[in-house]
Amino acid sequence: MEMIDRYAFAVTQRLPERQRKEIDKELRGLIEDMLEERFASDRSERDERAAVEEVLMELGDPAALAEKYRGRPRYVIAPELTDAYIAVLKVVGASIGIVLMVVFAIRAVIDPMNILDYFVDAIVSVFTFAIPHGFGWVTAIFIALSFVGADGKAWELRSHKEPWTPLQLPEVPDSKRRIPKSDPIAGIAFTVFITALVVFFPNVFGVVIPSGEGGRAIVPFLSEAGIRPYAWGFLAIAAATVSLSAWKLRQRRWTPPLAWAYIALQSLSAVFVVFAFTDPSVYNPSFVDELVQAGFFPIDGEGFRLWSRYAAKWIAPVVALFLLLDIGQTLYRVYRK
Amino acid sequence: MSEKDMQDLVNGFVQELRRGTIILGVLSRLTEAQYGYSLVGVLEEKGIQVDPGTLYPLLRRLEKQGLLESQWDTNEARPRKYYLLSETGKRVYEELCAEWTRMAEGVQSLIEPDKKA
């Protein structure tokens, strides 16, 4: 009877591989039992069809039955993370939207002749860049987080070793320990904004020079090819920052594990940024020459070249200073009496 | 609140009340081996309605938890899976029975005066 095959298949294909055979056998037996009880054994073909339909109606939707066999609802993104997921998705989406608009605006102002091309570019970018990268990354991060916190408890990061007592109740956070909602949201927006520009549109950083017949062009400060080897690092740090912000959104207060995770991530980011931006190949090698050519420097660019080499040495100490301030502030928030 | 809404609420509560009693009913009948569909009939005779779509997954779960043992019987016209209480199952059943008796008496004594009024 084909309909029984279909029904058994519809149920079992929704179940884990190793249970399929057994449950298939069980189901078929059950359907036969039900048919036998309800209808005399000498059935004509037409009656049988109606009988099977009636029995299957009684067993109900195969998806619901499979759900009962599984015994727990399945999800890709944990229900307790759904709110955070939607919030982060909105922020990331808005940030990427702004990036696309900024890039479009810069190009349009500099070169109004080709405004239509830039507009089409921006629209195409929504599908080639915004959706796969924005939506894709956020979704991947939250799937990973759901997987980690599959029991829903990893999120609280509570130790399971000791039973709960009222003494473990965290104190109501004072204003210094509390994390305002704006903090992680601004963090995500800023991270996405900068990462998207540096990794995908490095050419918008630069100096505008006149070119050709009254047009203008940007002399890019960074080199697209030079940035490319570092793209994964930038994206990984952005992903980690978004994950940490999601954790902040959920917890809304500074705790030692959160603080140390934050410090570790900030340190890692700082090291990476210094590492990337002290590599001469991330800069446009002909930056100075192009500016000299455009008559941007009254004399030759040698002075500027010296200055920029000097500036590169300052990247590490400056980044380190900000990092130390950030670490100090974070520790003060967590451990102050 | 409409009549239908109220009925939905009542149905929801009844579902909750039945959930545990079905397990108790199932365990009580499995001192002798039964297959799924015969169990539906046996419970129905006693006024416990349970649809197979609920019972079959429940039997598998109880087996997984170690309360039941199962065996396929292939001697009949079609293979059937017979379930029987395990040693653990017997002990769990006894504890549940004691608990149920206490609960039923308690609830009964609570709702009794309401009935008379």
Side-chain angles (χ1 to χ4, degrees):
Chain A
M1 183 74 202
E2 195 214 359
M3 207 183 297
I4 296 177
D5 294 339
R6 287 193 199 182
Y7 190 86
F9 176 75
V11 175
T12 51
Q13 66 153 347
R14 292 180 163 89
L15 296 168
E17 187 72 49
R18 51 193 162 66
Q19 296 178 16
R20 279 182 197 166
K21 240 173 117 168
E22 177 101 345
I23 288 176
D24 181 80
K25 215 156 65 160
E26 239 174 70
L27 263 183
R28 288 170 189 279
L30 168 63
I31 292 165
E32 285 301 326
D33 282 335
M34 289 170 88
L35 285 170
E36 196 169 282
E37 188 202 52
R38 255 148 265 224
F39 308 98
S41 43
D42 52 341
R43 298 177 293 219
S44 70
E45 183 67 30
R46 251 196 83 220
D47 284 351
E48 175 151 30
R49 243 194 108 75
V52 168
E53 263 178 56
E54 196 176 316
V55 163
L56 294 185
M57 276 300 288
E58 197 174 330
L59 284 175
D61 184 346
L65 185 53
E67 190 75 37
K68 284 188 197 165
Y69 267 113
R70 269 200 310 267
R72 55 184 172 79
R74 282 200 312 178
Y75 53 73
V76 181
I77 288 172
E80 64 266 27
L81 289 179
T82 307
D83 285 344
Y85 172 62
I86 291 168
V88 171
L89 210 50
K90 279 182 187 162
V91 178
V92 170
S95 314
I96 291 183
I98 291 169
V99 166
L100 294 181
M101 279 192 260
V102 164
V103 170
F104 167 71
I106 291 174
R107 287 171 166 175
V109 166
I110 285 168
D111 181 15
M113 295 297 289
N114 294 319
I115 191 162
L116 192 63
D117 291 354
Y118 297 139
F119 184 72
V120 171
D121 257 0
I123 299 298
V124 170
S125 297
V126 169
F127 298 97
T128 57
F129 161 65
I131 291 172
H133 278 282
F135 182 80
W137 278 92
V138 173
T139 306
I141 287 167
F142 273 88
I143 289 172
L145 292 175
S146 303
F147 188 76
V148 169
D151 59 346
K153 284 286 187 284
W155 267 101
E156 312 302 327
L157 283 148
R158 276 205 298 256
S159 57
H160 299 289
K161 293 170 197 89
E162 54 224 61
W164 183 87
T165 71
L167 295 175
Q168 297 170 5
L169 282 170
E171 56 187 62
V172 179
D174 55 29
S175 55
K176 281 275 187 294
R177 264 198 203 98
R178 203 170 296 170
I179 302 177
K181 213 170 182 162
S182 56
D183 168 322
I185 288 178
I188 293 171
F190 180 76
T191 305
V192 170
F193 190 77
I194 296 295
T195 307
L197 281 177
V198 169
V199 174
F200 297 95
F201 304 104
N203 292 343
V204 300
F205 297 98
V207 177
V208 181
I209 53 165
S211 83
E213 307 105 48
R216 277 169 300 184
I218 297 182
V219 175
F221 181 59
L222 299 171
S223 146
E224 201 158 3
I227 292 276
R228 202 162 298 135
Y230 294 103
W232 283 106
F234 280 114
L235 288 175
I237 285 174
T241 306
V242 171
S243 312
L244 198 92
S245 301
W247 183 2
K248 277 187 188 172
L249 265 180
R250 224 185 123 67
Q251 202 150 285
R252 298 294 304 278
R253 47 191 289 278
W254 285 104
T255 57
L258 175 60
W260 286 107
Y262 176 75
I263 287 169
L265 176 61
Q266 290 299 83
S267 311
L268 191 73
S269 316
V271 169
F272 180 77
V273 164
V274 169
F275 182 69
F277 285 104
T278 47
D279 176 355
S281 67
V282 303
Y283 300 105
N284 175 6
S286 59
F287 180 67
V288 176
D289 295 334
E290 285 179 56
L291 287 185
V292 170
Q293 236 168 9
F296 195 83
F297 291 117
I299 37 168
D300 77 320
E302 203 50 46
F304 179 80
R305 238 182 282 252
L306 277 171
W307 179 83
S308 60
R309 216 165 297 150
Y310 196 63
K313 287 199 174 52
W314 277 95
I315 290 177
V318 169
V319 169
L321 178 70
F322 278 104
L323 176 66
L324 286 175
L325 284 174
D326 198 11
I327 291 175
Q329 192 186 30
T330 307
L331 291 178
Y332 173 73
R333 276 188 180 132
V334 178
Y335 290 108
R336 65 197 285 276
K337 286 288 161 282
Chain B
M1 181 179 296
S2 75
E3 195 57 40
K4 187 188 167 300
D5 286 349
M6 202 188 82
Q7 212 44 57
D8 284 348
L9 271 181
V10 169
N11 289 345
F13 292 137
V14 168
Q15 279 288 52
E16 281 179 44
L17 286 175
R18 285 181 50 193
R19 201 161 291 156
T21 57
I22 287 175
I23 293 181
L24 200 51
V26 166
L27 295 178
S28 76
R29 294 297 107 185
L30 288 178
T31 42
E32 291 164 28
Q34 300 261 17
Y35 64 95
Y37 204 62
S38 67
L39 198 52
V40 174
V42 169
L43 290 172
E44 205 160 326
E45 269 171 40
K46 302 278 179 192
I48 305 275
Q49 289 277 348
V50 52
D51 64 293
T54 303
L55 182 68
Y56 277 61
L58 176 66
L59 288 169
R60 283 184 75 86
R61 202 182 85 211
L62 293 173
E63 181 186 13
K64 203 174 159 188
Q65 292 168 327
L67 273 59
L68 303 180
E69 285 158 3
S70 73
Q71 210 171 3
W72 281 95
D73 180 358
T74 46
N75 298 332
E76 293 176 58
R78 58 176 163 270
R80 278 176 174 153
K81 197 174 179 182
Y82 279 80
Y83 286 96
L84 188 67
L85 276 184
S86 68
E87 282 310 307
T88 316
K90 281 178 191 155
R91 290 189 30 216
V92 168
Y93 171 61
E94 271 159 33
E95 291 212 17
L96 285 182
C97 276
E99 193 57 48
W100 167 257
T101 310
R102 264 200 300 277
M103 231 184 261
E105 280 169 3
V107 172
Q108 199 56 40
S109 68
L110 284 170
I111 61 180
E112 204 66 30
D114 298 354
K115 285 264 169 56
K116 282 184 183 142

